[in-house]
Amino acid sequence: MRAECDFRVVDETGDWIVVEKPAPLAVHPANGRTDEPTLLGGLQALLACDLADGGGLSILTRLDRETSGLVLVAKTREAARHFSGLLERREVGKEYLAVVHGWPHSDDWMEEGPILRAGEVGESPIWLRQRVHAGGKPCATRFRVEQRFERSGGRFSVLRCFPETGRMHQIRVHLEVAGHPLVGDKIYGSDGSPYLEQISGGLSEESRRRLMLPRHALHACRLAGEWEGRMRVWESPLPRDLARFVDGRALDDGHGEAFGNQGLSG
């Protein structure tokens, strides 16, 4: 699975732009890599005229490399201040769709375990990995079952996720704690060996089999926030790769390797 800078513009004004980011496109250059495409680079090319006229770019809702979906970007200082204030006050609605292992016992539940970096309270070979711990920062995510289905490999569910805080990896951590990790997650729901294999050069056949998807099955499907006195709502359907999995179709869509070396994943 190769990262291509093929994001889609969902909505735009002179002050902001909302785009749909595919996986595994990185938002910013990471780990000193300047040769890979990024959402920031694509936006700079798309909005070159705005930038030449003195505009700026502020990516306000960041997504992990392997998470697809909606990203809100400010093009002016006014918009950056306004939406940053809404985000700080938790007045921007965010919803995600997740495809997870298993069938939850409840159709609607809340996870409130505080989160911190795993390496702060023990050894962790993955610096990015987070975990629930009493010493962590407050964190809350509500989950609602949208669909339960079966396919080769077992039982799975589509969940709608409502993060009430904005901690790093919080949806993924809370799903791991709930016993329903994301399909395709290389860090959570296991010992993290698939992630370590990937950054070392490639996934083993056993990891490919267990993961089932080349990226984790998380999609930012809805954003809502006020602008100029009117509530703006942006939505994005489940992308093709995840929809194929839910529909029980083949995992490789015919456009190349089902699993590629995507580099570091967030």
Side-chain angles (χ1 to χ4, degrees), residues 174-193:
H174 279 168
L175 285 171
E176 179 182 58
V177 168
H180 300 287
L182 291 172
V183 174
D185 200 323
K186 300 176 182 68
I187 296 178
Y188 300 99
S190 71
D191 62 359
S193 57

Side-chain angles (χ1 to χ4, degrees), residues 85-149:
L86 293 183
L87 287 162
E88 289 174 6
R89 297 190 299 273
R90 301 181 186 176
E91 294 175 0
V92 172
K94 297 180 184 179
E95 297 178 19
Y96 292 74
L97 289 173
V99 185
V100 305
H101 290 275
W103 287 3
H105 294 301
S106 175
D107 286 338
D108 198 322
W109 82 97
M110 178 79 79
E111 295 288 341
E112 297 182 289
I115 288 176
L116 50 60
R117 191 171 65 81
E120 294 180 26
V121 291
E123 291 189 9
S124 175
I126 302 174
W127 191 90
L128 290 169
R129 188 180 182 107
Q130 310 293 303
R131 60 165 290 183
V132 168
H133 187 273
K137 294 180 179 179
C139 193
T141 315
R142 184 166 66 85
F143 297 99
R144 186 178 74 210
V145 176
E146 299 279 293
Q147 181 180 347
R148 301 172 189 268
F149 65 98

Side-chain angles (χ1 to χ4, degrees), residues 25-42:
L25 181 64
V27 172
H28 293 97
N31 304 295
R33 295 177 62 180
T34 59
D35 58 335
E36 68 170 343
T38 64
L39 179 62
L40 177 60

